Amino acid sequence: QDPLSLYLHIPFCNTLCYYCACNKIVTRDKSRAETYLSYLYREIEMVSELYGRRQVLQLHWGGGTPTFIDDDQILDLSRHLRQHFSFGSDQDGEFSIEIDPRTVDPGRIANLRNAGFNRLSMGIQDFDETVQKAVNRKQSFEATQEVIGAARHHGFESISVDLIYGLPFQTQATIDRTLSQVIALGPDRISLYNYAHLPNMFMPQKRIN
């Protein structure tokens, strides 16, 4: 039988990035995740009854921000998955999670590795402070560098970063500076997206001037 690829969506974020078009719930009420996870556990059980005998070689947690939930919830969810599905080895599988470098520290990176993840992806979008202010995503180079360094230290096999071009106040000069900083971080993959301004479809974008 062909192997499985599983995707889990954790739709919660602490803060709103104005450019975002993802399916998300912006809240600081952590209890909202508990209800969501209870339904997610049940869905895992139902789906595993249909496909549980097939080996999982790819796993991705997206969002929102999966690291919105705490370390104990991440471990519990990971254990629940592995109780109901057969996972390939760490060497054979690609098990990834999206993180927000503003919500994790080296200790949390270690916990993610212990939960079975061997790949990380993270948003950067742009390191220019004027651009960050315009889209409500303030994220320092230093904090991002610390997270990537911790991921390397704890044996993550692949680190991917997201960038967006077409945001307000970006110029060739500012993007060149951001790309130089990203190159210095040495990610394994860069996902580069063009910003699509569709405020009638995605309400947060109306906050962008």
Side-chain angles (χ1 to χ4, degrees), residues 18-22 163-168 170 193-206 208:
Y18 294 162
Y19 55 80
C20 185
C22 296
L163 302 176
I164 297 178
Y165 66 92
L167 295 174
Q170 282 179 330
Y193 302 95
N194 65 304
Y195 172 61
H197 190 63
L198 300 168
N200 290 332
M201 293 180 62
F202 308 114
M203 294 291 289
Q205 293 184 353
K206 292 185 176 181
I208 294 179

Side-chain angles (χ1 to χ4, degrees), residues 88-99:
S89 68
D90 188 67
Q91 291 74 31
D92 296 333
E94 299 177 356
F95 310 127
S96 65
I97 183 170
E98 295 177 22
I99 67 167

